Amino acid sequence: MDNEEVEFIAENELITIIPNFQYKTFYLIGGDIGPFEPSVPTQVPLWLAVHFRQRQKCRIECPSWISVEKLEEIMNNEKSSELFTQMPNAHYMEITNVLLNCAPQDIPRADEVKTLIKDIWDLRIAKLRSSMNEFIKSESLHAKVNNLTLLEINTVRNLLTKTLKELHNLKQHVPVTDE
Amino acid sequence: MLNMEEKGRLKEYKYMGKDPEECRRRRQESSIQLRKTKKEDTVLKKRNISLQADEINQIISDQDDELKQRQFSMEEIFSNSQSTDPTIRFNAVQSARKLLSSDKNPPIDQFIDAKMLPVLVDCLNQNDQPNLQFEAAWALTNIASGTSAQTQSVVMAGAVEHFLRLLQSPHQNVCEQAVWALGNIIGDGPYCRDLVIKLGVVDPLLQFINPNIPMPFLRNVTWVIVNLCRSKDPPPPQETIRQLLPALAFLIQNPDTNILVDTVWAISYLTDAGNNIIQMIIDAGFVPYLVPLLGHSEVKVVTAALRAIGNIVTGTDQQTQEVIDKDALKYFHALLNHPKPKINKESVWFLSNITAGTKAQVQAVIDAGLIPQVIHLLSRGDLATKREAAWCINNLSLSGNKEQVAYVLQQGAIAPLCQALSIEDPQVLVVVLDALNNILKLAVGDENDLLSVTGQIEECGGLDKIEELQNHRNEEIYKLAFDIIDKYFTDEDDEDLPVNISENQNTYNFGIQTPGTSSEQSRFEF
Amino acid sequence: MVFIKDAKKEFLDQIINKRVLVFVHLDVDALCSWKILQHLLHCEHILYSVIPINSKQALEDAYNQHKQVANNIILINCGATLDLVEILQPPEETIFYLIDSLRPLEVRNVYNGIQIKIIVLQNELGIEQKLVPEYEDIFDEEEENDEENEEEEDGDENLDEEEPERNRSKRKRFDPEYLEKMHAKREWESKRSKILFEYYKYTYHRCSSSLVLFDLAWKSAKDNNDLLWWSIIGLTEQLINCKIDRDIYTRYVVELNSHVLRHNHRPAVNALGTSNTNPAPDDVSINCLKISHLDDLNMVLLRHWSILESIYHSIDLACLFKMWTNKGKKKLNEFLADLGLPLNECKQKFAYMDSSFKNDFKMLVASENIKEKYRYDENFIYLSTFIASFGYTNKLTAFDMAYAVEALMENVDGEKNLSDKFIEALNCLNRENLKALECGIETAKNHLKKIYQQIQNFIDMNQIVASGPFLQVFLEEGSNENPFFSQIFTSKKLARFALQSYLALTKGKKVRNMPLIVCIPLNESNTLIAGVPPYRATNNTENCFGLAFDEAAEKTKSRVNFSYFDTSIIEINNEDKSKFLDALVAVMQ
């Protein structure tokens, strides 16, 4: 699984848009969408929201957690907690990224949001790295980590599994070379 | 018969244009539909589909006359115009006349083919019905206005005698229409003209020229006189001309421009018909009347007068002198400057005939200061004007003496002449080469003169052009070109140039130093 | 009248689900229009092919080559002045949508209705309609029906004038009713030709096409800051090339400013009602385009040049100081001294100048004593425009953009064909493509330098001379720069610069009202002639040369090619040049 696939999954998240057109309900495998009435907020999957936004058929209503105040709070929590805190959305990184690219106009204080999200991400990845370090050093057999998001796991998956495998190889070979 | 569908179509056709929005759409919808409509229309005509009078009235009572008339078939007109009922007959003849007078291209041949001509001629006989005579005469006038064959068929139908008789009619509209009809017949050419003259048209025609005649009628009479003077192969009989001259002398003083223009054209036709007739015109005292017309404010008058006077100076030197004596040359400064190229051309043509005259006549042109303008037109006029200007210089180079030719060269004639060698017109080329040849010939006597002329020809690129013309496919042209190169431009290569050339390059003595002429006069700066 | 009344319904909605073919003239306004239209087509998922056009021939060729592709054809700044149905012979189902700033519109296009639709600014519909002659005054349905008659009559008349005697040896007598009808017809015809003469007398421009399309985008709720910026650049190009005058430009600037304000203020309330009641200007992401109105200094490419260079190449200022004379150069130094600007600073790139000087400079040039001493007013030294910023790059004015884009299109260096130039110029309009933009600005500077140098040559050699009712100037044959100067907009810029500089240096009064032509040898056989109207501060956009060129060519039977949509630029065969120019003198008198 690569990051694009993770983003693809994230695009199924529902998001509120304010359409500027009228259209009847239509039916997708994932569920019914619509009906659309101008100026009446409605929920659609993120991918559809992007599609509409690019053609200027809607404005995107930012999820409430994409705000400077809220994100600052999340970051502070993350900083003060030794463990991973729960994120407002399992795809917080992907969603903000998509929205910042496609509709920065619809996000209040977009540049600050961008920085905050990146800070939170860095914070959490750093935490993840250090705990992985300890995990390997301690030669534990298993560890339990809560509140990691799919993308975060995906970022370290390759590294972690490969490292463990290498270590395993090394361990098997060391006695042989010693002898 | 017109069925309902066609009625609808007719109406649609008629009311096109009333609703612009709809029209535009129609125009868009494609021109094909329009073409179709038109085609149907002609098919309808060809089939001679006729309509009953009451039917027509019913359909088109609110439509204009023209359409109503068009719906009469030829057969109907033919049969109705032989009716014993005078009203039916008159209506039929009138509708025939309307058909013939409401279109640029009336259906003349259809009338001839329908054997309508004898019927119409017969109507001319009905002295008790002047209106019928008038309508029939009008119809025949327009038939005679067509091609020569169409005019002939009117003559063959025996109409001429009737028209001549109608000149005596007490009804002026009938007289006038007869005059008009005769004018068309006379205008067909010398054969018809002389036929009508033989049948005695001149005397009754001239009787109309009196102070009481209405202006439009007089214009028509004048026009018929023009037709009598037209055509020089052969010209009208001298006796006829003699009869017409007093009338023309009267008409040339008429204040009406149309009459004046026509009269002057009549004179110009006569002056185009040989020196004898020119002499008759001079003797009748027309020249003093014609010359001032060159300064007339109407271009039409000037054009005609210029042609008449121009024809006179194609006559003998004596006849030419008559025109010069009336001070005609003073008008030419303006004429050569005229904005109309046609007038420029005719003026230069006029002058070219004077410069073909005596040395004194050549001098008169020089003294009038017209040469610079001729040279200007030689370089800047249109093709026809350039050709005349080349002739003018050519004639002068032949008829003029050394001083006169020298004067022309001093005005800078060489360069424009050489430029004219680029014109791809054999006649111009011959005339120009000939002129250059004449000029060179005159210069032969004096080494410096010759060097100056050859130098100028070379400088303006004329030599290259003459050399090129040696390859021209026209025999006369390549011979002339070859001669010039051979005589005046070859030996220089073999012989050393005279030493004193550099000193005298820009100045030379042209002309003979005769006692009495000061050297000042014959010394020209180039 | 067949102007489109509702561009969304009658144009945009009509082409949905259809394929369109778009012909775009190679000018900045047309390119900006295309960018806006492209956005609208994307929004509606409309398939398109786009082809750049620079001459009438190119339009004809491109149409014939691609007509199978689509029946819906959009022409931007090319073709509204031509009789398209006649020239292109389109099949009946083909529809042309015309968006063109050039006037006068061909009347047959205006009244076509079925195949040709003209889109103009909606709130100028009334004015546009009034400009075109009434249908009834110029079209006669009956006449359409019998064209044969018409031709013959013409023939007769000609004969009448030329050789009255020959035609009149026989005469018809016509029915009085018929004569009356013919008389009325002739009267109507002479009235028509008078109307048409008045209508076609001048060529001029109206509202920029990019503004027309922005208006459409706005009314279709598809407008955004990018579209707005393009439409501003399109309008600016119209002023740079004197297609419209300052007054009209200012009017449109005011109109556009309302859009600028609308797009560059965030709505105070978002749907959830949280925060944001008082948004700060930097609320918007740095990556978003931000536009604001600005009364800028009337100096060309100032932000990319030094003050000194900018003044040299600004036509108004160069003429104010008479820069081509020593006295003029001294006067400029004095001016800068009066402003308290050290010469060293003025030679530096403006962008790197000490910011205190920068700010003072803008204030000081409009101070009372300076204005009085150098005899100009605020309107002269300031120019109302817009400035845009995005990312962390320099700010750009609409003028910078227009100059840069145009320079790329008029560039003759390198073997670039029409499409290359088109793509390069479009790239320059993409704000992501900073490299293209930089290249455009450098090219523009280079072009302005060449023009300045050429003007200096004209003046040193006294080459600008009066010829009867107009001024003329010839470029030397065989010069390396001739291909550059013969580009359509450059040729006119050169002509205008020449005219204005000549007027600045001469005391003659007669020449003040004279137009000017510039003759640029193209190759051994042809010369390009471009004409510009007399210089006036306002209302200097009506150009009479189209008709004059046509008449002079007709009179002299000269081989003249009206290659471009702008008829005041022609190509003439060298052999015919002198007689053509003689005739032009006569025509213009």
Side-chain angles (χ1 to χ4, degrees):
Chain A
M1 196 185 241
D2 56 25
N3 289 345
E4 278 77 17
E5 286 168 281
V6 180
E7 192 176 291
F8 181 77
I9 293 167
E11 282 179 348
N12 268 330
E13 288 288 308
L14 291 180
I15 192 156
T16 308
I17 61 162
I18 300 154
N20 60 12
F21 62 97
Q22 194 174 24
Y23 201 78
K24 58 183 191 297
T25 308
F26 55 92
Y27 309 98
L28 300 180
I29 295 176
D32 302 350
I33 290 171
F36 300 93
E37 289 292 336
S39 300
V40 178
T42 182
Q43 288 216 319
V44 297
L46 181 58
W47 60 266
L48 193 61
V50 169
H51 179 90
F52 284 150
R53 183 65 184 84
Q54 278 172 347
R55 282 157 190 79
Q56 296 198 271
K57 289 190 181 296
C58 72
R59 206 162 37 117
I60 288 172
E61 192 59 67
C62 257
S64 57
W65 51 269
I66 306 189
S67 78
V68 175
E69 293 83 355
K70 186 83 190 160
L71 290 172
E72 270 170 354
E73 190 191 320
I74 291 167
M75 187 171 73
N76 288 335
N77 288 343
E78 189 67 45
K79 259 186 200 159
S80 51
S81 163
E82 231 173 281
L83 298 175
F84 291 96
T85 59
Q86 191 184 359
M87 286 294 107
N89 184 296
H91 297 288
Y92 76 100
M93 187 65 184
E94 301 91 304
I95 292 174
T96 28
N97 201 32
V98 166
L99 289 181
L100 279 167
N101 274 335
C102 117
Q105 302 92 319
D106 294 350
I107 303 171
R109 299 159 80 180
D111 296 333
E112 286 175 66
V113 168
K114 192 175 181 177
T115 320
L116 280 168
I117 290 285
K118 186 77 168 79
D119 286 351
I120 293 169
W121 171 265
D122 288 346
L123 211 55
R124 287 167 65 90
I125 293 295
K127 233 183 232 182
L128 189 56
R129 290 222 173 99
S130 62
S131 50
M132 266 161 54
N133 195 19
E134 266 172 38
F135 167 72
I136 292 163
K137 275 188 186 156
S138 67
E139 300 193 20
S140 310
L141 290 177
H142 75 96
K144 188 178 175 212
V145 189
N146 284 332
N147 291 335
L148 272 184
T149 65
L150 187 55
L151 189 66
E152 286 159 350
I153 296 167
N154 206 39
T155 328
V156 294
R157 177 189 282 130
N158 274 342
L159 181 69
L160 187 61
T161 47
K162 259 191 194 156
T163 317
L164 289 177
K165 203 174 172 190
E166 282 303 313
L167 278 177
H168 179 72
N169 275 345
L170 285 172
K171 269 182 194 154
Q172 277 187 333
H173 287 91
V174 169
V176 180
T177 43
D178 263 7
E179 276 171 276
Chain B
M1 294 298 145
L2 197 68
N3 60 33
M4 281 318 288
E5 205 184 305
E6 278 170 314
K7 272 182 234 166
R9 187 186 60 74
L10 249 178
K11 202 169 168 227
E12 209 176 277
Y13 203 77
K14 166 75 184 166
Y15 284 108
M16 270 184 81
K18 294 278 150 88
D19 174 12
E21 206 62 48
E22 169 66 14
C23 298
R24 253 155 264 158
R25 199 154 302 126
R26 283 178 138 275
R27 195 154 81 85
Q28 278 323 306
E29 267 166 15
S30 72
S31 46
I32 296 166
Q33 199 181 334
L34 277 180
R35 263 177 240 133
K36 221 169 83 192
T37 320
K38 222 164 161 183
K39 205 172 149 198
E40 277 170 17
D41 209 39
T42 45
V43 169
L44 201 74
K45 259 186 216 157
K46 276 186 189 155
R47 282 187 196 146
N48 275 336
I49 293 170
S50 60
L51 299 167
Q52 295 303 313
D54 53 332
E55 266 190 75
I56 301 163
N57 290 338
Q58 203 185 331
I59 300 160
I60 48 167
S61 54
D62 57 334
Q63 298 181 359
D64 59 85
D65 271 8
E66 196 197 330
L67 193 60
K68 183 161 58 176
Q69 297 305 332
R70 279 189 195 280
Q71 303 305 321
F72 275 110
S73 77
M74 201 60 71
E75 284 131 24
E76 205 170 7
I77 290 174
F78 181 71
S79 61
N80 284 1
S81 58
Q82 287 167 302
S83 164
T84 47
D85 181 333
T87 315
I88 293 177
R89 186 180 191 185
F90 176 78
N91 283 342
V93 172
Q94 190 179 45
S95 40
R97 188 275 295 168
K98 285 213 170 182
L99 267 177
L100 286 162
S101 64
S102 298
D103 197 325
K104 282 265 168 190
N105 296 303
I108 295 176
D109 282 332
Q110 278 160 265
F111 274 84
I112 296 171
D113 296 344
K115 312 236 183 305
M116 273 296 288
L117 264 49
V119 181
L120 290 170
V121 171
D122 188 47
C123 294
L124 298 179
N125 251 334
Q126 309 301 314
N127 287 335
D128 54 336
Q129 293 180 58
N131 283 338
L132 182 66
Q133 286 179 317
F134 170 68
E135 293 289 345
W138 187 345
L140 286 164
T141 301
N142 283 8
I143 292 173
S145 75
T147 63
S148 192
Q150 289 165 344
T151 311
Q152 290 300 332
S153 61
V154 174
V155 175
M156 301 300 269
V160 176
E161 285 89 344
H162 290 286
F163 284 133
L164 287 171
R165 193 173 43 72
L166 289 178
L167 292 180
Q168 313 292 346
S169 164
H171 305 279
Q172 197 171 30
N173 63 341
V174 178
C175 286
E176 200 179 341
Q177 199 55 54
V179 165
W180 196 323
L182 287 167
N184 277 342
I185 293 167
I186 294 165
D188 188 53
Y191 172 78
C192 283
R193 179 194 67 200
D194 292 345
L195 176 79
V196 180
I197 289 172
K198 211 181 271 169
L199 290 171
V201 73
V202 179
D203 283 327
L205 184 69
L206 293 181
Q207 107 210 335
F208 290 120
I209 304 178
N210 63 55
N212 301 323
I213 184 175
M215 189 57 79
F217 194 174
L218 185 60
R219 284 185 194 144
N220 268 337
V221 172
T222 311
W223 168 68
V224 178
I225 292 175
V226 175
N227 276 357
L228 284 169
C229 298
R230 204 188 293 263
S231 293
K232 55 174 178 177
D233 301 316
Q238 292 225 357
E239 179 49 33
T240 305
I241 296 173
R242 201 157 294 143
Q243 276 178 290
L244 292 176
L245 286 178
L248 289 170
F250 174 78
L251 290 170
I252 204 171
Q253 297 173 67
N254 195 290
D256 182 76
T257 312
N258 291 316
I259 290 177
L260 180 61
V261 170
D262 273 0
T263 309
V264 178
W265 275 116
I267 296 166
S268 80
Y269 294 139
L270 293 176
T271 51
D272 192 26
N275 292 358
N276 287 344
I277 300 176
I278 291 177
Q279 197 57 46
M280 287 170 75
I281 296 291
I282 292 171
D283 292 345
F286 277 100
V287 179
Y289 284 108
L290 288 170
V291 169
L293 296 180
L294 293 174
H296 200 279
S297 56
E298 285 273 341
V299 182
K300 281 191 283 185
V301 177
V302 175
T303 310
L306 192 51
R307 179 68 66 84
I309 290 173
N311 282 340
I312 296 176
V313 298
T314 61
T316 64
D317 287 350
Q318 197 58 47
Q319 288 170 336
T320 304
Q321 195 57 41
E322 291 281 345
V323 172
I324 297 174
D325 287 348
K326 295 294 173 294
D327 215 4
L329 289 172
K330 77 170 179 192
Y331 295 98
F332 279 81
H333 181 68
L335 293 176
L336 293 171
N337 258 332
H338 202 280
K340 291 226 175 224
K342 214 147 198 174
I343 300 243
N344 302 146
K345 185 206 95 179
E346 295 267 304
S347 307
V348 184
W349 164 69
F350 171 92
L351 291 175
S352 75
N353 280 324
I354 310 257
T355 56
T358 65
K359 292 193 171 46
Q361 287 170 349
V362 170
Q363 194 57 44
V365 174
I366 293 173
D367 291 346
L370 299 170
I371 296 298
Q373 279 176 285
V374 173
I375 292 171
H376 176 78
L377 289 171
L378 178 61
S379 58
R380 283 301 173 98
D382 63 11
L383 179 64
T385 309
K386 279 183 179 169
R387 184 185 296 147
E388 295 303 338
W391 269 116
C392 188
I393 304 290
N394 177 310
N395 287 346
L396 195 147
S397 71
L398 264 179
S399 333
N401 59 29
K402 265 201 158 187
E403 278 127 331
Q404 287 168 338
V405 174
Y407 167 78
V408 173
L409 297 190
Q410 188 203 7
Q411 300 305 318
I414 293 280
L417 271 175
C418 292
Q419 275 158 30
L421 290 173
S422 307
I423 299 170
E424 282 167 30
D425 178 316
Q427 204 199 352
V428 173
L429 292 177
V430 171
V431 173
V432 171
L433 285 172
D434 202 38
L436 287 172
N437 200 15
N438 291 337
I439 291 166
L440 285 161
K441 228 184 270 173
L442 275 177
V444 160
D446 186 311
E447 187 74 6
N448 287 338
D449 293 354
L450 189 60
L451 280 174
S452 165
V453 176
T454 52
Q456 282 186 67
I457 292 176
E458 205 170 336
E459 246 170 61
C460 67
L463 182 56
D464 298 336
K465 281 171 190 155
I466 299 171
E467 274 176 346
E468 248 173 68
L469 290 174
Q470 291 181 104
N471 302 320
H472 203 278
R473 54 192 139 72
N474 182 308
E475 189 178 318
E476 201 180 352
I477 291 171
Y478 78 66
K479 272 193 177 152
L480 266 168
F482 177 80
D483 272 0
I484 291 173
I485 298 286
D486 185 49
K487 267 193 212 141
Y488 306 104
F489 290 96
T490 40
D491 44 1
E492 284 177 23
D493 294 337
D494 309 328
E495 294 168 13
D496 286 336
L497 292 169
V499 197
N500 62 348
I501 183 91
S502 58
E503 219 180 336
N504 286 327
Q505 238 168 6
N506 296 320
T507 326
Y508 86 110
N509 295 333
F510 199 102
I512 328 143
Q513 301 267 340
T514 46
T517 36
S518 76
S519 62
E520 280 294 311
Q521 266 181 326
S522 48
R523 195 178 167 84
F524 296 107
E525 303 268 323
F526 275 86
Chain C
M1 203 68 69
V2 289
F3 291 117
I4 280 184
K5 293 187 185 74
D6 181 337
K8 183 176 183 316
K9 271 192 199 139
E10 293 174 62
F11 166 50
L12 207 52
D13 291 352
Q14 295 302 313
I15 55 173
I16 286 178
N17 294 331
K18 290 175 187 159
R19 191 156 176 191
V20 295
L21 188 56
V22 189
F23 294 107
V24 181
H25 190 245
L26 212 62
D27 67 65
V28 176
D29 177 36
L31 253 64
C32 292
S33 308
W34 164 240
K35 293 294 285 184
I36 297 170
L37 180 64
Q38 190 182 34
H39 176 81
L40 295 176
L41 297 179
H42 281 162
C43 285
E44 304 295 344
H45 298 272
I46 296 167
L47 267 181
Y48 61 82
S49 309
V50 59
I51 297 151
I53 294 295
N54 65 347
S55 67
K56 292 179 186 171
Q57 192 58 46
L59 175 64
E60 225 180 302
D61 294 346
Y63 173 77
N64 286 324
Q65 197 185 335
H66 301 286
K67 60 185 168 191
Q68 276 82 16
V69 172
N71 282 326
N72 291 274
I73 295 169
I74 302 168
L75 302 182
I76 301 178
N77 282 1
C78 54
T81 55
L82 307 178
D83 187 352
L84 290 171
V85 174
E86 177 66 26
I87 292 172
L88 303 179
Q89 302 281 336
E92 277 177 49
E93 59 278 11
T94 298
I95 295 178
F96 292 94
Y97 295 95
L98 310 183
I99 305 142
D100 200 336
S101 69
L102 192 58
R103 299 287 181 280
L105 297 165
E106 163 63 46
V107 288
R108 291 188 198 87
N109 289 342
V110 176
Y111 285 110
N112 180 297
I114 304 289
Q115 284 191 280
I116 294 180
K117 320 254 184 200
I118 303 173
I119 303 158
V120 297
L121 203 61
Q122 300 298 290
N123 57 13
E124 290 183 5
L125 198 65
I127 309 167
E128 293 279 3
Q129 287 183 342
K130 256 182 225 149
L131 289 169
V132 184
E134 291 289 327
Y135 179 84
E136 287 70 21
D137 287 339
I138 49 171
F139 289 107
D140 179 9
E141 297 295 336
E142 280 182 40
E143 184 193 322
E144 304 272 325
N145 292 342
D146 39 46
E147 273 164 40
E148 303 159 31
N149 255 355
E150 178 70 8
E151 275 166 34
E152 263 165 49
E153 215 165 289
D154 282 357
D156 276 3
E157 264 161 34
N158 283 342
L159 275 177
D160 262 355
E161 228 202 311
E162 296 283 308
E163 296 272 15
E165 83 279 24
R166 201 154 299 167
N167 192 36
R168 291 178 59 214
S169 73
K170 291 177 186 174
R171 289 156 56 213
K172 283 184 190 65
R173 179 168 183 176
F174 290 109
D175 196 86
E177 268 175 39
Y178 174 76
L179 287 178
E180 209 170 286
K181 217 174 95 190
M182 288 296 112
H183 181 74
K185 194 177 162 192
R186 217 161 280 166
E187 209 135 88
W188 178 84
E189 275 165 2
S190 87
K191 191 178 141 214
R192 171 177 65 176
S193 63
K194 222 172 274 163
I195 290 172
L196 289 179
F197 175 79
E198 283 299 319
Y199 179 65
Y200 287 114
K201 195 160 60 172
Y202 296 115
T203 50
Y204 60 99
H205 288 264
R206 287 192 57 85
C207 180
S208 71
S209 297
S210 47
L211 204 59
V212 174
L213 281 165
F214 178 77
D215 193 58
L216 169 63
W218 175 45
K219 286 177 178 153
S220 316
K222 298 277 187 294
D223 60 326
N224 61 34
N225 244 352
D226 281 300
L227 305 199
L228 181 56
W229 182 231
W230 289 323
S231 119
I232 289 169
I233 298 166
L235 171 71
T236 306
E237 184 259 346
Q238 283 202 308
L239 184 70
I240 290 176
N241 288 318
C242 286
K243 291 176 177 179
I244 55 171
D245 66 18
R246 254 309 256 290
D247 292 351
I248 293 172
Y249 167 78
T250 311
R251 225 178 58 213
Y252 285 130
V253 164
V254 171
E255 207 172 308
L256 281 170
N257 196 30
S258 67
H259 291 293
V260 166
L261 293 173
R262 184 165 58 82
H263 277 286
N264 292 279
H265 269 104
R266 293 184 53 75
V269 185
N270 71 23
L272 297 175
T274 55
S275 68
N276 261 347
T277 36
N278 226 349
D282 59 352
D283 203 28
V284 184
S285 163
I286 192 83
N287 292 321
C288 291
L289 181 68
K290 269 156 277 178
I291 309 174
S292 53
H293 176 264
L294 173 75
D295 277 322
D296 198 20
L297 287 159
N298 183 10
M299 293 185 188
V300 61
L301 299 177
L302 180 61
R303 281 166 189 76
H304 312 273
W305 232 334
S306 71
I307 286 184
L308 212 54
E309 280 170 303
S310 181
I311 290 178
Y312 264 71
H313 298 96
S314 297
I315 183 162
D316 290 334
L317 280 160
C319 290
L320 176 76
F321 291 115
K322 306 185 171 82
M323 211 69 82
W324 305 274
T325 61
N326 282 331
K327 222 174 121 192
K329 289 181 181 107
K330 267 188 208 143
K331 199 171 163 197
L332 172 61
N333 288 346
E334 192 187 328
F335 173 73
L336 295 171
D338 283 346
L339 293 175
L341 287 176
L343 208 53
N344 281 347
E345 286 287 334
C346 297
K347 285 180 180 163
Q348 270 209 54
K349 258 201 159 191
F350 182 78
Y352 308 148
M353 261 175 89
D354 193 314
S355 64
S356 67
F357 283 128
K358 265 201 276 197
N359 295 333
D360 289 354
F361 179 59
K362 199 180 160 185
M363 302 283 285
L364 284 170
V365 288
S367 63
E368 285 308 320
N369 55 335
I370 294 287
K371 280 196 296 190
E372 203 166 302
K373 179 168 177 189
Y374 294 95
R375 293 171 186 218
Y376 61 72
D377 57 16
E378 248 152 70
N379 252 335
F380 174 87
I381 200 72
Y382 288 146
L383 192 53
S384 185
T385 183
F386 296 93
I387 190 157
S389 62
F390 50 84
Y392 294 94
T393 55
N394 273 338
K395 290 184 170 187
L396 284 162
T397 68
F399 282 89
D400 297 336
M401 288 295 295
Y403 272 110
V405 176
E406 186 163 290
L408 292 176
M409 287 190 297
E410 303 259 295
N411 199 8
V412 290
D413 300 335
E415 302 267 304
K416 280 178 185 144
N417 63 24
L418 203 58
S419 306
D420 296 340
K421 288 182 184 176
F422 180 66
I423 289 165
E424 214 173 313
L426 279 179
N427 277 339
C428 186
L429 281 171
N430 275 349
R431 59 189 163 95
E432 288 85 10
N433 202 329
L434 288 172
K435 223 174 177 183
L437 184 62
E438 255 165 53
C439 172
I441 288 191
E442 285 313 309
T443 317
K445 284 191 204 168
N446 194 9
H447 288 182
L448 287 164
K449 282 182 195 160
K450 283 183 189 174
I451 292 175
Y452 180 83
Q453 189 53 50
Q454 189 59 50
I455 298 296
Q456 180 85 58
N457 290 350
F458 285 159
I459 286 166
D460 291 347
M461 319 270 282
N462 283 323
Q463 279 171 321
I464 305 168
V465 290
S467 162
F470 55 85
L471 293 161
Q472 63 182 28
V473 61
F474 292 86
L475 259 70
E476 267 165 52
E477 216 165 302
S479 155
N480 289 337
E481 298 299 355
N482 286 354
F484 164 66
F485 287 119
S486 64
Q487 299 297 303
I488 45 177
F489 293 108
T490 309
S491 68
K492 289 208 148 183
K493 260 198 207 98
L494 181 68
R496 272 194 305 274
F497 220 131
L499 177 62
Q500 215 175 321
S501 63
Y502 182 79
L503 294 182
L505 293 169
T506 187
K507 290 197 171 62
K509 277 203 178 133
K510 228 179 102 190
V511 295
R512 304 243 150 233
N513 274 324
M514 283 190 182
L516 178 140
I517 59 166
V518 56
C519 301
I520 305 159
L522 292 174
N523 47 42
E524 275 163 17
S525 52
N526 285 303
T527 296
L528 183 121
I529 301 181
V532 290
Y535 173 73
R536 290 187 200 104
T538 56
N539 199 17
N540 58 345
T541 56
E542 286 183 339
N543 193 320
C544 66
F545 276 107
L547 203 65
F549 284 158
D550 194 37
E551 231 172 277
E554 186 88 354
K555 265 193 179 172
T556 52
K557 305 252 177 322
S558 296
R559 285 156 286 180
V560 165
N561 195 353
F562 285 85
S563 324
Y564 304 103
F565 297 96
D566 181 347
T567 50
S568 57
I569 303 175
I570 55 163
E571 286 173 21
I572 184 166
N573 191 298
N574 284 340
E575 288 169 22
D576 300 335
K577 198 173 73 187
S578 67
K579 68 175 178 186
F580 173 83
L581 290 175
D582 284 349
L584 190 63
V585 171
V587 166
M588 308 251 317
Q589 266 161 351

